[in-house]
Amino acid sequence: MAAGLLMSSAIGALLATAVPAQGPSTGIVDPPPDRIVIKVATVNGSGCPQGTAAVAVSPDNTAFTVTYSEYLAQVGGGSDPTAFRKNCQLNLIVHVPQGFTYAVASADYRGFAALQRGASSVQRASYYFQGSSNTEFRSHPFRGPYNDNWQATDTTDWAQLVWAPCGVQRNFNINTELRVSAGSSNPAETSFMTMDSTDGDISTIYHLAWKECPDS
């Protein structure tokens, strides 16, 4: 498969513009010149059946993109009773240039939702490195009536970034979830939320922060 956390808009702007190193107060530096390589170790979940999620790295090493093609939660009408919730866990192997470590500073999610009046939905995500504790889920609710593209962003202040351990390989885990509730809507009408698009591809972009590892 193609190779492939998160509270202040300032850090997102920092990554998007790839500004110069910020000095000892943050330790954040420019992305390393060498390419990083991200591979999918495992993909599990009802929202990402095998072969429907792919990962790619931006040329400037400031972001990576996860693309889903069958991520859909729905209720009402003739929907399967279990279809109201879909989830996906990606376990990624991230190879970074020697002497550097990274953190995910923000994540952008996009998709489409069609929610009847009285229905609601939520998009959630959490992130953690292998061997560390799970982060709290970040949630983004939506309420019907709604019939449009949606976008949600998780951001983290630089002081709260969780950095990959230096000198050890730790896989990076991303847990995402879509959940749709019929609420008071007409049970004969369908409400749904996707993390894909009509052409089958919508990208979730994860923006990276970088710093140099201390000398051993």
Side-chain angles (χ1 to χ4, degrees):
M1 196 163 353
L5 244 190
L6 314 184
M7 285 183 287
S8 147
S9 57
I11 195 68
L14 166 69
L15 295 167
T17 55
V19 298
Q22 297 300 297
S25 62
T26 67
I28 294 176
V29 300
D30 282 341
D34 298 333
R35 287 296 305 270
I36 63 174
V37 178
I38 301 179
K39 295 181 179 180
V40 179
T42 59
V43 181
N44 291 296
S46 54
C48 52
Q50 193 66 35
T52 66
V55 185
V57 183
S58 68
D60 60 2
N61 286 351
T62 62
F64 66 91
T65 299
V66 180
T67 303
Y68 303 95
S69 59
E70 293 187 17
Y71 209 148
L72 165 69
Q74 65 181 28
V75 293
S79 303
D80 186 294
T82 64
F84 75 97
R85 177 185 177 272
K86 293 296 177 72
N87 75 295
C88 182
Q89 175 167 326
L90 295 176
N91 182 276
L92 306 178
I93 303 170
V94 184
H95 297 283
V96 303
Q98 188 172 1
F100 287 87
T101 183
Y102 72 96
V104 175
S106 67
D108 302 325
Y109 297 90
R110 297 180 179 87
F112 185 85
L115 305 174
Q116 304 296 334
R117 184 177 302 277
S120 62
S121 66
V122 64
Q123 179 271 327
R124 307 199 312 159
S126 70
Y127 319 81
Y128 67 98
F129 290 101
Q130 179 183 5
S132 64
S133 55
N134 228 353
T135 63
E136 292 184 3
F137 272 96
R138 306 294 176 88
S139 298
H140 301 277
F142 299 85
R143 295 192 175 279
Y146 190 100
N147 188 19
D148 204 349
N149 296 317
W150 62 268
Q151 179 171 344
T153 299
D154 295 338
T155 56
T156 294
D157 183 79
W158 69 267
Q160 297 177 328
L161 292 176
V162 178
W163 298 92
C166 285
V168 227
Q169 180 65 53
R170 291 287 186 267
N171 289 8
F172 183 59
N173 291 273
I174 303 169
N175 293 313
T176 58
E177 177 184 315
L178 297 179
R179 186 185 294 260
V180 182
S181 172
S184 61
S185 65
N186 185 341
E189 297 179 328
T190 301
S191 293
F192 67 88
M193 186 177 193
T194 73
M195 214 182 296
D196 63 6
S197 70
T198 53
D199 64 3
D201 294 315
I202 262 291
S203 298
T204 297
I205 303 174
Y206 297 86
H207 301 279
L208 302 179
W210 292 93
K211 70 177 182 179
E212 293 181 344
C213 289
D215 294 332
S216 55

